[in-house]
Amino acid sequence: MKRELVQEEKHLKSFLKLLIVLAVLTLFFHFFPKLTPSFLETAAANSYALLSGGSALQGFLIVLLLALAIGDVRRFSPLIRLFKWMLAVATIWTAIQWIRGNEPTYGTTHLWQLIIYATVFVCIWILFRAAGMARYNLKYLSIQQFQTLQALAEVCISGDVDIYKLQIEPIQVAANVDTYLIKFKASNKWVMKLVLTAIEIYPLLSLNPLLSLMQPAARLKFLKRRFTDLEYQSVPRWYGEIVQAAIRMSKQLCFMGYYSDPAVYESIGYVPYSKRKDINERIRQFPGTNSQSLSLKVLEETDVKTNEITADVVIVGSGAAASILANQLVKMGRQVLLVEFGGLEETTTFNEDEVDMVSRLYANGALQLSRDFRFQVFQGRCVGGSTVVNNAVCFDTPEHILDKWINEMGIGINRERYLSSMAAVYKLMRISHTPIMTDERFLNPGGRLFAEACKKMGYDKPELDSVMANINGCLGSGYCNIGCQFGKKLSMLDTILPQTQTAHPGALQIIANCEAISFNRNGNKIISLTGKFKNGRKITIKGNTFVSSAGAVSSSILLLRSKLGIANAGKKLAFNLGTQITAAYKQTVNSYDGLQISHFLKTEDHRYVMETWYNPPMFQSTAMPGWFDQHFRNMQQYGNMACTGILVGTASNAEVKVAGLFGRDINYVPTEDDFNSLMDGLEKASEIYLTGGAERVMPNTFNYYEYKTVKELKENFRKNVKASPDISTGTGHPQGGNVMSNDPKTGVVDENFKVFGFDNLFVCDASVFPTSLGVNPQVTVMSLAYYAAPIIAAN
C-alpha cells in the first residue's frame, strides 16, 4: 500500500476543503446575518437549509465530520463513506418532496436542492472511489468491499487478534484477494462482490454499525454468533443457510488471501517444491518431461474469420471422454472439431501459485454450488478438461457396477468389448503403479502413515494399496490439483490431443474459449451448434455428427438449454459424495511433500472408498476443520497433519437445471443411506488414524469437533453429526444426468450413446452413467469413449 497520499486522495481532500469552507461560511452568515452581503442573502438562506435541514446542530456536526476527514482522509475514510450515504439519503428524500410538491415555488426550491445534493453526492462518490482504487491499487473490488474484506480478515483468520499474530496485515490479505479475483476468469465471480456488500450492511438489521465500522472484538462476536445454528431457530431455514453461506464464503476468501501468501509459509511449516532440499535427487531419478502440449494447436476467436463454419464430427468438450473419442474417430477416418469453453494453458507456464493456477484452470468450475450452498462440485475448465487438474487416480470399472448395468438394468453394453476397451485405455494412457508411476519415497507421507495403520487393523492387498494413475515419473510436488508443471501427469493436454494432431495432420481441430450455447435442430436431426466466444461473438458450427462430452453437469445444461424436448435431461444425477477426516500427529509429517492421492482402502461391501490426500496451504485451508481461532491453531500444525477422503457412490437422486443465480442449479441432498455410509466411512477412517498413533482426528463439520481416543469417537461422533447439513461435502466426480437406458421413458441415450429421438446427436461422458461408480471415474469415462468410438464413427 502507498504511504504517501496519492494524487486522487489529494483531489478528494481538496474537494472536502471546498465543502467545509462553504459550510463554515454558511453557518457564519446564518448566525451573523448583519454581516451577510445583500447579494448573498438568498443564497445564504438556501445554503443553510441545505446544510442544516433546520437544525444548527446538524450543520455543526457536518462541519466536524468534514474537518476530521480532511485531517486524515485515510484514517477517517469510513466517515467520508458515511457522509456520502447521508447525501444519498438526502438526495432521495428531496426528490420525493419535489415530486410530491404542489406549489410551483415550493417545487422549484426542492428542485434546486435536489440538483445540489445530487451533484455533491456524485462528486464525492467519484472522488472517493478513485482515491480508494488508487491507494490500494484495486483492480476488481470496490473500496467498500475491500474495506469489508480487510475487516473480515482482521478477525476471521485468527479469531482473537490480541492472542495470535498474523504474518501479513489484513490489508495485504484483502489486496491478495483483489489480485486473485481480477485474474479469476469465472463469469459468476460477481457473487463475491455481492457477498461482501451484503456482509457489510447485514449488521444494520440488528441495529449495529456497518461491519467494517465495528470494533474488532464486537465484530468477531457478531460473526461468531451469526455462524451458529442456534441463532436461526426462530427464522426460516433458508434464511439461516444464506447468512451462514455468506459468512463461510467470506471466510474462505480470507483464507485464500492469507494462506496463498509466501510470507505465511514458514509459520505453518510449508516448503514449496522449488525450495525442497532433495529436488535435484528427484529430478535425477525422473528426468525430462512427458508433456507434448507445446505442439498443440488451437483456434482462438481471432483465428475464426467467419461466423459460420462446417465440420464433420463436432464434439463439445476436450476432457477425458472428448479426447479419447476424438483420437479414435480420427483413426477411423473422421474429421473432428472440439469446442472447448476454457482456454489453452501450456504446462510450461504452470507454477506454484495456487491462486493463479485455480483462476486459470478451474474458472466457474471452482464456484459450482448446490442450491443450499453446502455441496461444492469442482471441475476443470481448460483445454484437456478435468484431466489437467485431477489426481489421475485410476480404478477399473467395478465388476458389481458392470453387473448392475448389464444384468439388473438390462443395458446392452457388450461386456467383452467393454473390458477390451478398458485394457486398451490402460495401454494408451500408460496407466501404471509404482515404481513407474513414482518412487515409493515420493508418495504422500501422510498416506504411508494411514496405510501402516490400516495394516495394524488387518487390512492388506487388494483392499489396501497405493494407487495406479496415468502418471509417469512423479516428482512428488503435491501440485496435481493445480496442474503439473513438470509434465509427469499424462493429461489429455499433455498426451492424447497433441499426439492425435501430430499423427493425423489436419484431422483434429480445437476451438478454445468458446462456450457451446445450444444444439439447433431440424426435425430429428441436429444441423448446427451455436457457440459464443468470451467477447460475446457467436458462431454457427455445422456438422454431420454432434457429440456432447462436456461432463455430467455441463452436458446436461447444454441439452436443457437447447430445448430439444428431452424430458430426462439433467435428471438422475449422482456423485461420488466426498468428505474428509484430518488427523494431527505429534511429529512432523509433511503430507504435502509427495503425490497428493497416494493410497486407498476399499471394503468388500462397496459402501465407501478411502483415499489419502493433502494439498498446498491455500487449498488445504479451505478444507481444514474449525473456524476462527480454532482454524488458525489447526493451520499452525499444517505440517503435522494427514488427511483421508471418504467417497460414497450416491443414489441418482440429484438434478441439474438451467436456473438459479448462475443458470446451473444443482438440487442435491444426500439420502439417509448415503449419509450413513459416509458417516461409517468417516468413523472407520478416524479409528484407523487413532489406532495408528494420531493425537486427534477432526471431521470437517460445521460445528467443530475433535476426538482423541477411539472410545471418545465411538461415544460421541454420531451424536454430534446427525444430518448432512452438519458436515461439509463436495465432489470432483459428478455422474449421470443423461443416463443410458433401454427405455426412452427412463433415460436420455440408448446403448449406442445416441440421444433418443435424434439421428446424429450423441452424449459420451460421465453423464451417461446409469449409476454412480463409488470410485474415481476417469478410467470408466475413457473406456466408454473408446467403446463408443466405432459406433459413432459409423453414424
Side-chain angles (χ1 to χ4, degrees):
M1 306 304 114
K2 298 175 176 68
R3 294 186 178 181
E4 300 294 328
L5 289 183
V6 296
Q7 194 65 40
E8 289 81 357
E9 287 176 311
K10 293 177 182 178
H11 292 159
L12 174 63
K13 190 172 184 178
S14 297
F15 186 73
L16 294 177
K17 285 180 179 179
L18 174 62
L19 290 181
I20 199 171
V21 167
L22 294 174
V24 170
L25 286 174
T26 297
L27 291 174
F28 177 81
F29 289 143
H30 175 75
F31 286 106
F32 301 97
K34 294 182 179 180
L35 299 179
T36 306
S38 57
F39 68 91
L40 287 179
E41 288 179 354
T42 302
N46 290 334
S47 297
Y48 182 74
L50 282 169
L51 177 68
S52 66
S55 170
L57 178 61
Q58 176 180 307
F60 280 112
L61 287 175
I62 290 176
V63 169
L64 178 61
L65 184 152
L66 289 171
L68 287 171
I70 290 168
D72 192 334
V73 292
R74 288 186 174 177
R75 180 183 176 190
F76 293 109
S77 63
L79 293 181
I80 302 174
R81 198 190 329 159
L82 176 63
F83 181 55
K84 179 182 69 173
W85 291 116
M86 287 171 59
L87 284 167
V89 171
T91 301
I92 294 170
W93 175 252
T94 307
I96 294 172
Q97 296 301 311
W98 175 61
I99 293 170
R100 295 174 58 186
N102 296 319
E103 298 180 13
T105 305
Y106 186 76
T108 303
T109 301
H110 278 82
L111 176 60
W112 278 107
Q113 288 181 341
L114 174 62
I115 292 172
I116 292 171
Y117 279 140
T119 301
V120 176
F121 168 76
V122 170
C123 291
I124 289 286
W125 184 80
I126 292 174
L127 292 170
F128 183 70
R129 182 178 184 278
M133 299 290 282
R135 176 194 172 187
Y136 298 116
N137 195 27
L138 297 183
K139 299 178 179 65
Y140 184 73
L141 296 174
S142 70
I143 178 63
Q144 172 260 307
Q145 292 156 357
F146 183 88
Q147 290 176 337
T148 301
L149 187 54
Q150 181 182 347
L152 285 164
E154 190 175 11
V155 297
C156 284
I157 296 170
S158 63
D160 194 332
V161 292
D162 294 330
I163 299 176
Y164 304 109
K165 183 180 183 303
L166 298 182
Q167 299 300 308
I168 58 174
E169 295 297 324
I171 194 171
Q172 185 59 51
V173 175
N176 289 345
V177 173
D178 180 67
T179 300
Y180 163 63
L181 289 177
I182 194 62
K183 291 180 179 179
F184 199 37
K185 299 174 184 177
S187 60
N188 54 2
K189 65 181 179 180
W190 56 266
V191 73
M192 302 298 185
K193 302 179 84 170
L194 178 64
V195 164
L196 290 173
T197 300
I199 284 289
E200 173 72 0
I201 64 176
Y202 179 64
L204 296 178
L205 297 179
S206 52
L207 302 180
N208 285 292
L210 294 171
L211 189 81
S212 62
L213 299 182
M214 298 173 74
Q215 290 297 309
R219 191 185 313 137
L220 178 61
K221 183 178 179 181
F222 176 86
L223 290 172
K224 280 188 172 181
R225 183 176 179 184
R226 268 70 184 178
F227 202 62
T228 63
D229 287 325
L230 294 176
E231 181 70 15
Y232 305 104
Q233 289 184 344
S234 60
V235 298
R237 184 171 184 84
W238 63 263
Y239 177 82
E241 286 178 349
I242 290 175
V243 175
Q244 291 174 334
I247 297 175
R248 184 167 62 248
M249 193 174 292
S250 299
K251 289 194 289 184
Q252 300 286 40
L253 284 175
C254 293
F255 298 157
M256 179 175 60
Y258 185 74
Y259 292 107
S260 66
D261 197 304
V264 176
Y265 292 167
E266 185 177 356
S267 69
I268 62 174
Y270 174 67
V271 181
Y273 178 76
S274 60
K275 297 182 179 179
R276 295 174 199 167
K277 294 179 180 179
D278 64 344
I279 183 172
N280 291 329
E281 178 188 347
R282 298 187 189 204
I283 293 173
R284 279 195 301 270
Q285 182 158 349
F286 296 118
T289 176
N290 300 301
S291 178
Q292 300 166 55
S293 63
L294 287 178
S295 68
L296 187 63
K297 305 297 181 186
V298 304
L299 300 173
E300 298 286 352
E301 187 269 336
T302 53
D303 300 313
V304 182
K305 304 300 182 184
T306 62
N307 290 332
E308 183 176 295
I309 59 178
T310 302
D312 178 14
V313 182
V314 179
I315 302 177
V316 179
S318 66
S323 296
I324 294 293
L325 189 56
N327 172 268
Q328 294 302 300
L329 288 175
V330 165
K331 289 180 179 179
M332 295 172 189
R334 301 294 296 266
Q335 304 286 307
V336 176
L337 174 66
L338 299 182
V339 182
E340 170 57 48
F341 194 175
L344 173 64
E345 298 287 347
E346 296 176 349
T347 56
T348 54
T349 67
F350 290 179
N351 57 65
E352 298 179 326
D353 187 337
E354 292 180 83
V355 167
D356 179 45
M357 296 314 302
V358 169
S359 68
R360 290 165 58 182
L361 300 177
Y362 284 86
N364 294 52
L367 294 177
Q368 286 187 145
L369 297 171
S370 62
R371 184 179 294 175
D372 63 3
F373 304 104
R374 293 182 181 273
F375 182 74
Q376 191 159 13
V377 182
F378 287 100
Q379 287 183 289
R381 181 162 291 169
C382 58
V383 174
S386 291
T387 67
V388 179
V389 295
N390 69 10
N391 292 97
V393 175
C394 293
F395 285 102
D396 288 358
T397 306
E399 279 291 327
H400 72 280
I401 294 295
L402 271 181
D403 287 339
K404 184 172 185 177
W405 291 359
I406 298 171
N407 299 330
E408 293 183 31
M409 303 178 77
I411 297 171
I413 296 175
N414 184 305
R415 183 190 292 266
E416 289 185 8
R417 196 165 75 79
Y418 178 77
L419 294 177
S420 176
S421 297
M422 187 162 60
V425 163
Y426 266 79
K427 184 177 180 180
L428 180 65
M429 294 306 303
R430 298 164 62 189
I431 296 169
S432 61
H433 204 275
T434 53
I436 296 173
M437 179 186 70
T438 190
D439 189 281
E440 289 282 347
R441 294 172 300 162
F442 306 152
L443 295 175
N444 175 345
R448 290 198 294 270
L449 286 177
F450 182 81
E452 291 167 4
C454 286
K455 289 179 179 178
K456 286 183 179 179
M457 295 186 65
Y459 296 108
D460 212 331
K461 295 180 180 181
E463 291 81 15
L464 171 69
D465 203 351
S466 56
V467 299
M468 295 188 73
N470 52 303
I471 294 176
N472 189 279
C474 176
L475 301 174
S477 66
Y479 297 153
C480 284
N481 292 153
I482 58 173
C484 180
Q485 62 183 288
F486 312 105
K488 303 297 186 179
K489 183 164 64 173
L490 308 180
S491 72
M492 300 302 160
L493 171 64
D494 293 288
T495 58
I496 298 300
L497 292 176
Q499 286 171 6
T500 305
Q501 283 190 339
T502 300
H504 305 274
L508 172 61
Q509 289 186 303
I510 305 168
I511 297 180
N513 288 309
C514 184
E515 180 182 9
I517 300 298
S518 66
F519 291 115
N520 308 302
R521 68 184 296 177
N522 182 7
N524 60 356
K525 186 176 182 180
I526 301 299
I527 57 173
S528 66
L529 170 74
T530 300
K532 184 173 73 173
F533 291 107
K534 296 290 178 70
N535 62 4
R537 175 189 163 200
K538 291 186 177 180
I539 60 169
T540 298
I541 305 171
K542 295 184 175 181
N544 299 313
T545 304
F546 294 85
V547 186
S548 183
S549 295
V553 174
S554 294
S555 279
S556 299
I557 292 293
L558 177 56
L559 292 184
L560 289 166
R561 278 199 311 227
S562 301
K563 298 181 180 179
L564 300 174
I566 304 171
N568 297 313
K571 297 179 179 178
K572 297 185 180 180
L573 185 66
F575 308 95
N576 285 343
L577 175 66
T579 190
Q580 67 280 345
I581 194 75
T582 302
Y585 290 83
K586 283 185 178 180
Q587 73 273 23
T588 300
V589 178
N590 290 340
S591 294
Y592 62 81
D593 188 17
L595 182 66
Q596 280 189 294
I597 292 183
S598 61
H599 296 78
F600 69 86
L601 175 64
K602 291 195 298 182
T603 54
E604 292 182 359
D605 57 13
H606 311 301
R607 293 181 64 211
Y608 51 77
V609 174
M610 301 180 192
E611 295 179 353
T612 61
W613 62 277
Y614 213 66
N615 285 297
M618 188 275 285
F619 251 125
Q620 198 66 30
S621 71
T622 64
M624 182 64 74
W627 304 108
F628 303 106
D629 50 336
Q630 184 59 61
H631 183 277
F632 186 76
R633 288 197 296 271
N634 281 337
M635 282 302 295
Q636 294 301 294
Q637 288 191 285
Y638 168 84
N640 289 43
M641 291 188 175
C643 202
T644 287
I646 290 83
L647 297 180
V648 171
T650 71
S652 302
N653 66 317
E655 183 176 4
V656 59
K657 295 180 179 181
V658 181
L661 285 174
F662 312 124
R664 301 167 75 86
D665 182 25
I666 300 172
N667 185 13
Y668 175 64
V669 176
T671 65
E672 184 176 352
D673 283 346
D674 290 341
F675 175 71
N676 286 332
S677 293
L678 193 66
M679 293 303 97
D680 288 346
L682 269 178
E683 188 170 349
K684 177 59 67 175
S686 300
E687 182 182 355
I688 290 169
Y689 270 128
L690 291 171
T691 302
E695 279 192 307
R696 57 194 173 99
V697 293
M698 302 157 283
N700 194 9
T701 45
F702 188 76
N703 296 312
Y704 181 74
Y705 304 106
E706 61 178 41
Y707 308 99
K708 297 181 179 179
T709 65
V710 173
K711 182 175 182 294
E712 182 184 2
L713 171 76
K714 291 186 176 296
E715 288 178 353
N716 298 292
F717 178 62
R718 295 307 294 268
K719 295 178 183 178
N720 296 332
V721 187
K722 299 175 182 177
S724 58
D726 297 335
I727 193 161
S728 177
T729 56
T731 187
H733 307 151
Q735 299 154 71
N738 304 305
V739 300
M740 183 180 288
S741 173
N742 56 11
D743 183 354
K745 294 181 181 179
T746 61
V748 172
V749 301
D750 62 20
E751 59 195 30
N752 293 318
F753 300 83
K754 185 182 291 186
V755 176
F756 287 114
F758 291 87
D759 292 338
N760 64 337
L761 177 60
F762 298 82
V763 178
C764 185
D765 55 23
S767 72
V768 306
F769 288 12
T771 66
S772 62
L773 298 182
V775 296
N776 302 57
Q778 77 161 351
V779 164
T780 302
V781 169
M782 292 187 285
S783 300
L784 281 175
Y786 197 98
Y787 176 96
I791 301 172
I792 295 174
N795 177 252

